[in-house]
């Protein structure tokens, strides 16, 4: 811990990559945590696909509506706050890259976070919108739809099999290649291209996680503990 704290103090450019474990202590279940309710028998990686949405839009929309309600009830934790505060104290030194669509980093004040997988509270049209497709005037439903052409609204997140937003991914790759230190927090490191950022980091890689991950072998240090407990200590000046 002391050694890594020294690396943080010495680093000019720090990249931080976070996953679902970052929000676990806020009360947001991780992707690994068992699904609850209607979705308990579904693998999230099957639900978060265009195929699943087209096959059963009501069910997938319902899953996102359930997650939105749950996320709206929780708050950023001490880990989110420590990252935002560090960035405010040291402008230009950190790049925060997240796989999370919950917006908790942004609510903690990290407004420049690179959200690789989108934002669960935003919607977009499933098919290329026509002149008749007006989001504000979408017909109520699960999901809301265009009552002229039947186009449906979907959550503005990146589904499996879909490309990440190019500029966001490019900025994240640039930060990884320019960093002296990368903190990899609360991610199992199985989803790509996000996990690939830890493997292309130019600087030292430090894993913060309660469990072993796919990326441990690529790390210079592994800190076994929670994000909300370890990040405030690691980021104290
Ligand atoms: C694409 C948004 C191509 C939706 C998400 C290379 C190799 C293998 C496979 C692939 C590859 N390249 C591409 C693929 C396919 C696929 C992929 O990676 N599959 C995996 C499963 C094998 N990737 C894609 O499909 C990507 N797109 O490749 O497109 C393309 C290119 C051009 C043109 C057309 C197509 C898109 C991937 C993004 C999918 N969307 N989310 C939604 O949220 O609904 S991914 C989603 O799952 C999350 O965003 C996150 O990324 C991932 C979950 O992973 P984690 O965040 O790590 O969470 P997890 O639950 O797994 O782990 C939690 C960790 O926290 C654990 O380690 C736990 O121990 C720890 N923890 C728990 N509590 C705490 C803690 N740690 C600290 N403190 C705590 N308190």
């Amino acid at each position: 811990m002391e050694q890594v704290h020294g690396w943080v103090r010495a680093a000019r450019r720090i990249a931080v990559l976070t996953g679902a474990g970052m929000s676990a202590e806020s009360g947001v279940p991780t992707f690994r945590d068992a699904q609850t309710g209607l979705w308990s028998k579904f693998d999230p990686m099957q639900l978060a696909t265009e195929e699943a949405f087209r096959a059963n839009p009501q069910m997938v929309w319902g899953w996102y509506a359930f997650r939105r309600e749950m996320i709206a009830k929780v708050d950023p934790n001490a880990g989110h706050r420590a990252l935002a505060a560090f960035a405010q104290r040291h402008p230009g030194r950190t790049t925060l890259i997240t796989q999370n669509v919950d917006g908790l980093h942004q609510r903690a004040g990290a407004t420049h976070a690179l959200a690789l997988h989108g934002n669960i509270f935003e919607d977009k049209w499933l098919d290329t919108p026509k002149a008749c497709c007006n989001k504000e005037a979408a017909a109520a439903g699960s999901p809301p739809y265009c009552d002229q052409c039947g186009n449906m609204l979907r959550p503005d997140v990146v589904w499996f099999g879909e490309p990440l937003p190019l500029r966001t991914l490019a900025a994240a790759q640039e930060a990884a290649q320019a960093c002296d230190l990368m903190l990899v927090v609360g991610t199992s490191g199985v989803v790509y291209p996000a996990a690939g950022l830890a493997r292309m980091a130019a600087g030292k890689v430090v894993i913060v996680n309660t469990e072993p991950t796919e990326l441990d072998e690529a790390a210079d240090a592994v800190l076994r503990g929670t994000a909300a407990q370890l990040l405030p200590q690691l980021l104290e000046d």
Side-chain angles (χ1 to χ4, degrees):
M1 183 69 175
E2 259 329 290
Q3 182 190 39
V4 174
H5 195 196
W7 291 349
V8 169
R9 275 210 296 271
R12 277 172 317 99
R13 292 284 305 272
I14 301 173
V16 182
L17 175 65
T18 69
M22 183 75 228
S23 299
E25 291 153 284
S26 292
V28 181
T30 69
F31 262 63
R32 280 156 178 261
D33 289 338
Q35 297 257 85
T36 53
L38 282 180
W39 300 280
S40 54
K41 54 185 182 302
F42 296 97
D43 167 357
M45 296 199 184
Q46 263 129 32
L47 283 172
T49 63
E50 184 175 337
E51 294 71 36
F53 186 79
R54 287 189 186 279
N56 193 334
Q58 195 159 8
M59 179 187 67
V60 174
W61 181 265
W63 182 52
Y64 281 97
F66 167 76
R67 291 170 63 192
R68 284 174 175 175
E69 264 167 56
M70 177 180 43
I71 294 165
K73 290 195 198 105
V74 304
D75 294 317
N77 60 52
H80 294 110
R81 295 194 297 274
L83 285 167
F86 186 89
Q88 269 139 29
R89 290 197 309 276
H90 305 282
R93 258 182 84 193
T94 61
T95 303
L96 178 53
I97 306 159
T98 189
Q99 299 169 72
N100 301 342
V101 297
D102 57 30
L104 292 179
H105 281 301
Q106 295 84 342
R107 279 174 51 197
T111 46
H112 304 303
L114 299 173
L116 294 174
H117 297 160
N119 177 344
I120 199 170
F121 292 100
E122 299 286 330
D123 294 335
K124 65 180 181 181
W125 290 108
L126 178 65
D127 299 313
T128 312
K130 303 187 186 70
C132 54
C133 302
N134 166 0
K135 264 207 265 186
E136 277 61 50
S142 288
Y145 60 98
C146 171
D147 56 12
Q148 307 296 308
C149 71
N151 199 356
M152 292 182 275
L153 285 179
R154 54 160 285 182
D156 191 0
V157 296
V158 178
W159 279 334
F160 288 94
E162 292 185 330
L164 275 57
L166 283 179
R167 270 199 304 283
T168 309
L169 180 59
Q173 288 166 335
E174 192 277 328
Q177 286 151 352
C179 74
D180 310 305
L181 178 68
M182 179 180 282
L183 303 177
V184 180
V185 184
T187 183
S188 55
V190 296
V191 171
Y192 283 76
L197 294 166
R199 296 187 183 283
M200 69 168 68
K204 290 188 178 62
V205 173
V206 173
I207 304 256
V208 175
N209 199 302
T210 49
E211 310 285 329
T213 80
E214 302 278 324
L215 296 168
D216 288 13
E217 39 85 16
D220 299 278
V222 174
L223 300 178
R224 195 66 68 233
T226 78
Q229 282 161 356
L230 294 186
L231 287 177
Q233 298 168 44
L234 267 182
L235 299 173
E236 135 197 301
D237 287 344

